[in-house]
């Protein structure tokens, strides 16, 4: 494998790990949607997948988990399922891609570099799928916030939910997961020439010498 393909592999794995951590932070953080009211300017509200929080300007913060799973809205249920699926697929992709890295000395006796290349491609495809699964709930919740914010039926006095920090973190994590998967797949496309093991090259050289000697003796 050439240096360019090896660098793409390392860059892809580093981006992969960072993007997965961003997706994990997005799932845990309660700042999916935020809301502040003019009636209580010293307090603001935050809505997450697992809890709601009340933040005060003096620095206090009180969070409360949702009482019942069945009482959740379908939007939060869908976001939970897709984010957990994104984390699971991303973790599986990393576990599959790591043995396929060129610098990792594994899987070379079972099929050689072709097996490692296959593992890297599968890990990259799983990374792309994980990124798409992360972008769907984040973008959907942002779409709902925009629709409710510009709803003419709601009076202007009523406070509205706005984008929280977790949405931006989720967008970054989703796009980076897709980029990491594409980098891993691209590294496999760039390394089309399969290097021969050292022992195999030595065996070929020795067999060539032996055949040459036999021909010279016959002559």
């Amino acid at each position: 494998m050439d240096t360019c393909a090896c660098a793409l592999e390392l860059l892809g794995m580093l981006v992969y790990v960072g993007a997965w951590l961003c997706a994990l932070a997005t799932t845990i953080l309660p700042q999916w949607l935020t809301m502040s009211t003019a009636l209580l300017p010293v307090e603001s509200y935050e809505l997450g997948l697992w809890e709601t929080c009340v933040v005060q300007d003096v620095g206090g913060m009180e969070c409360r988990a949702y009482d019942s799973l069945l009482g959740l809205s379908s939007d939060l249920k869908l976001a939970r399922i897709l984010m957990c699926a994104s984390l699971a697929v991303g973790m599986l992709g990393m576990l599959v891609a790591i043995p396929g890295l060129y610098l990792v000395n594994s899987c070379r006796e079972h099929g050689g570099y072709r097996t490692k290349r296959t593992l890297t491609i599968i890990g990259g495809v799983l990374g792309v799928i994980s990124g798409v699964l992360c972008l769907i709930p984040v973008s959907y919740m942002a779409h709902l916030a925009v629709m409710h914010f510009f709803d003419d039926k709601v009076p202007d006095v009523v406070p509205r939910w706005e984008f929280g920090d977790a949405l931006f973190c989720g967008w970054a994590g989703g796009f980076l997961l897709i980029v990491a998967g594409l980098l891993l797949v691209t590294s496999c496309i760039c390394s089309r020439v399969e290097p021969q093991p050292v022992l195999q090259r030595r065996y070929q050289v020795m067999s060539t010498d032996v055949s040459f000697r036999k021909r010279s003796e016959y002559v």
Side-chain angles (χ1 to χ4, degrees), residues 67-166:
D67 296 332
S68 174
L69 178 63
L70 299 177
L72 291 175
S73 61
S74 58
D75 305 331
L76 288 177
K77 290 180 183 178
L78 180 63
R80 280 186 178 185
I81 293 173
L82 291 179
M83 289 304 299
C84 291
S86 174
L87 292 175
V89 174
M91 177 60 70
L92 179 62
M94 285 189 292
L95 294 178
V96 171
I98 288 175
L101 296 179
Y102 178 75
L103 297 179
V104 178
N105 190 14
S106 63
C107 302
R108 295 188 178 182
E109 65 276 3
H110 304 290
Y113 289 92
R114 184 173 299 177
T115 303
K116 295 176 71 66
R117 186 181 303 171
T118 303
L119 291 176
T120 305
I121 292 177
I122 294 175
V125 172
L126 290 177
V128 174
I129 296 174
S130 176
V132 173
L133 291 175
C134 180
L135 289 176
I136 290 175
V138 173
S139 301
Y140 181 67
M141 293 294 289
H143 171 71
L144 292 179
V146 172
M147 294 296 294
H148 288 105
F149 189 87
F150 293 103
D151 192 0
D152 297 334
K153 298 179 181 179
V154 180
D156 296 336
V157 185
V158 178
R160 293 171 172 82
W161 292 104
E162 299 181 4
F163 293 171
D165 296 335

Side-chain angles (χ1 to χ4, degrees), residues 30-38 40-47 53-55 149 157-164:
Q31 291 89 5
W32 277 62
L33 298 175
T34 61
M35 181 178 62
S36 58
T37 63
L40 292 174
V42 296
E43 290 184 352
S44 61
Y45 302 92
E46 296 177 347
L47 175 67
C53 298
V54 179
V55 183
F149 189 87
V157 185
V158 178
R160 293 171 172 82
W161 292 104
E162 299 181 4
F163 293 171

